[in-house]
Amino acid sequence: MKKITLLGSTGSIGKQTIEVAREQNIKICAIGAKQNIKLLESQIREFKPSLCAVVDESAGKELKSRVSDTDTKVIIGEDAPSIVARESDGDILLNSLMGKCGIAPTLEAIKTKKDIAMANKEPLVAAGDIILRAVKENGVKLLPVDSEHSAIFQCLDTSHNSPDFIKRLIITASGGPFFNKTRQDLEKVTLKDALSHPTWSMGAKITVDSATLMNKGLEVIEAVRLFGVPEDRIDVTVHRQSIVHSMVEFCDGSILAQMGHPDMKHCISFALNYPERKETLCEKLDFTKSFSLTFDCPDEDTFSLLSLARRCVKKGGNAPAIMNSANEEAVKLFLQEKIRFIDIFDVVEEAVVALPFRENITLESLEEDDRLAREYVRKRMHKLF
Ligand code: MG
């Protein structure tokens, strides 16, 4: 039986992974989160992991005393997820941390020969080259958990891994709550509007990214990294029903699509059990009832972050990392209701243009670029309000 290290265990994907583990009797040997100790405590009592990481110092201390009657060792601090990723005896790390803080734990897990089930897209966007090099050097598997990439991975699994057979990847997008809206409409968007996603239930940051289509931009970059297909051979189509999770067109014109009821537990179960499959309790598509599937062209002029992401991955170097950090900071300010929805588009683009380009990236240069991008966004937005 596979043993899993689950980082980000209290977030949306983390909680759904817990449900899959419960249904399929999967052993969770280590967990970790930022600060939700109430939920961490109940996960410790249910799954009896040997290690638990808590990033927040005071929350960590409180959890330590609350679970002192158990055998779980609580590790506290900024480095706790990395320590747990390294020291746990899991076969696979499911990384559902949020943002670029998932880079270091991913690398630690790879170095200790754990496969990676990746639900955290920002490390691949910001530090894709570094992570892919480590995956290759250590001979581990990198399995996508993002629904689109899981779909493409499943379609490609039939092609004997020959890149010559792939013509195009077609990533589906729900279009978010503002499909068909104009830039003027977007100026009036409130936080509540942005947080109501039509089909997927997700955390706040990714829900805002879905509303701006930044999420689709990050996914195009993620697909470039994972499948080695250039961005001009990756199309995005708006598919409101979120039934087709993505598609691959092969050189002979044949297109394979992966479909299912929109439920992340499919993707989690696939990654955790690969190359096998196990039954899930997810709702199944019912073809005895009629339903329609529609596909529309995305508006990349209004939702300009999608075309910005394409330009950044084409440019390479630190451009995707700057875009990602600027977006993380802008979304944070929007969630605090300090900036408007529309400001996210402009300030992220401005940060990419204004900050110095670096061809070669290292973990140190990424830290510096992250600091510069966040500072740029805060200063620029402070002037506006
Ligand atoms: Mg996705």
Side-chain angles (χ1 to χ4, degrees):
M1 190 203 289
K2 276 189 193 169
K3 286 179 288 187
I4 290 165
T5 302
L6 174 59
L7 291 177
S9 64
T10 61
S12 170
I13 297 285
K15 285 191 269 191
Q16 295 179 75
T17 304
I18 293 280
E19 284 177 44
V20 172
R22 205 177 273 140
E23 282 166 23
Q24 299 183 348
N25 229 345
I26 289 172
K27 165 91 183 136
I28 295 181
C29 65
I31 57 172
K34 195 172 168 197
Q35 60 191 13
N36 184 349
I37 55 170
K38 195 172 166 215
L39 188 50
L40 283 174
E41 182 181 354
S42 85
Q43 291 173 351
I44 287 173
R45 297 204 181 277
E46 180 177 356
F47 289 93
K48 306 181 175 48
S50 54
L51 296 171
C52 173
V54 186
V55 174
D56 183 89
E57 296 274 345
S58 67
K61 279 182 193 152
E62 196 185 331
L63 181 69
K64 206 171 197 167
S65 79
R66 282 206 211 170
V67 298
S68 58
D69 60 321
T70 69
D71 293 329
T72 302
K73 184 175 163 193
V74 177
I75 298 172
I76 304 166
E78 285 286 332
D79 292 335
S82 293
I83 297 169
V84 165
R86 183 173 62 235
E87 293 184 0
S88 77
D89 65 345
D91 310 297
I92 183 164
L93 166 72
L94 193 141
N95 178 353
S96 60
L97 292 166
M98 204 188 65
K100 65 171 272 302
C101 68
I103 297 174
T106 302
L107 288 171
E108 288 301 325
I110 295 170
K111 278 189 227 157
T112 49
K113 311 286 182 200
K114 294 174 184 81
D115 291 333
I116 306 294
M118 194 66 131
N120 173 208
K121 62 190 65 163
E122 292 87 346
L124 276 175
V125 170
D129 293 345
I130 298 173
I131 288 172
L132 292 179
R133 213 179 306 134
V135 163
K136 211 170 166 192
E137 280 168 11
N138 290 280
V140 300
K141 287 193 199 80
L142 178 57
L143 299 155
V145 174
D146 210 348
S147 63
E148 295 76 4
H149 306 83
S150 175
I152 293 168
F153 186 93
Q154 293 182 57
C155 294
L156 289 177
D157 221 22
T158 62
S159 74
H160 307 289
N161 287 327
S162 172
D164 298 342
F165 297 163
I166 308 168
K167 185 161 183 213
R168 282 188 310 154
L169 307 181
I170 304 141
I171 296 182
T172 53
S174 70
F178 310 128
F179 176 59
N180 267 340
K181 296 274 189 258
T182 63
R183 186 161 164 112
Q184 274 147 325
D185 297 329
L186 296 185
E187 284 177 4
K188 292 173 228 131
V189 159
T190 65
L191 179 59
K192 194 167 163 266
D193 299 333
L195 288 181
S196 56
H197 195 274
T199 45
W200 292 100
S201 147
M202 306 176 289
K205 196 258 176 187
I206 185 170
T207 304
V208 175
D209 284 347
S210 295
T212 60
L213 289 202
M214 178 80 272
N215 185 51
K216 231 22 78 176
L218 295 174
E219 288 179 354
V220 167
I221 300 177
E222 203 184 350
V224 170
R225 311 279 203 227
L226 283 168
F227 307 113
V229 173
E231 66 77 30
D232 57 0
R233 287 203 281 137
I234 303 176
D235 292 351
V236 173
T237 179
V238 177
H239 169 53
R240 301 295 284 161
Q241 299 82 20
S242 299
I243 299 282
V244 173
H245 301 316
S246 278
M247 297 175 267
V248 177
E249 182 182 328
F250 293 95
C251 56
D252 57 2
S254 173
I255 294 175
L256 290 190
Q258 188 267 340
M259 310 203 310
H261 188 77
D263 187 335
M264 288 306 294
K265 291 200 281 295
H266 274 141
C267 314
I268 295 166
S269 173
F270 178 80
L272 294 184
N273 292 299
Y274 183 79
E276 289 167 21
R277 287 181 185 265
K278 273 195 186 153
E279 292 230 7
T280 67
L281 297 178
C282 301
E283 196 178 325
K284 308 292 183 288
L285 288 181
D286 182 359
F287 286 93
T288 63
K289 296 189 182 111
S290 67
F291 61 91
S292 305
L293 302 178
T294 59
F295 299 93
D296 290 282
C297 188
D299 175 358
E300 293 198 22
D301 293 329
T302 303
F303 295 90
S304 52
L305 292 175
L306 177 52
S307 50
L308 177 69
R310 289 186 181 281
R311 292 198 300 280
C312 286
V313 72
K314 214 165 166 179
K315 195 168 174 190
N318 64 348
I322 289 175
M323 181 197 74
N324 178 61
S325 294
N327 180 63
E328 280 188 29
E329 192 63 27
V331 172
K332 191 165 111 188
L333 294 176
F334 173 66
L335 289 173
Q336 293 168 352
E337 295 188 87
K338 287 183 178 156
I339 67 172
R340 295 172 307 162
F341 183 71
I342 199 79
D343 296 326
I344 302 172
F345 296 85
D346 300 339
V347 77
V348 174
E349 181 131 18
E350 278 180 35
V352 172
V353 174
L355 293 174
F357 177 68
R358 251 187 257 266
E359 181 87 50
N360 297 310
I361 54 163
T362 61
L363 288 179
E364 293 72 38
S365 77
L366 282 175
E367 283 304 318
E368 173 67 2
D369 286 332
D370 182 58
R371 193 184 59 74
L372 289 173
R374 288 172 193 274
E375 194 180 87
Y376 182 90
V377 171
R378 282 194 302 269
K379 279 193 180 152
R380 183 77 188 80
M381 288 294 102
H382 194 68
K383 257 187 230 157
L384 279 176
F385 291 88

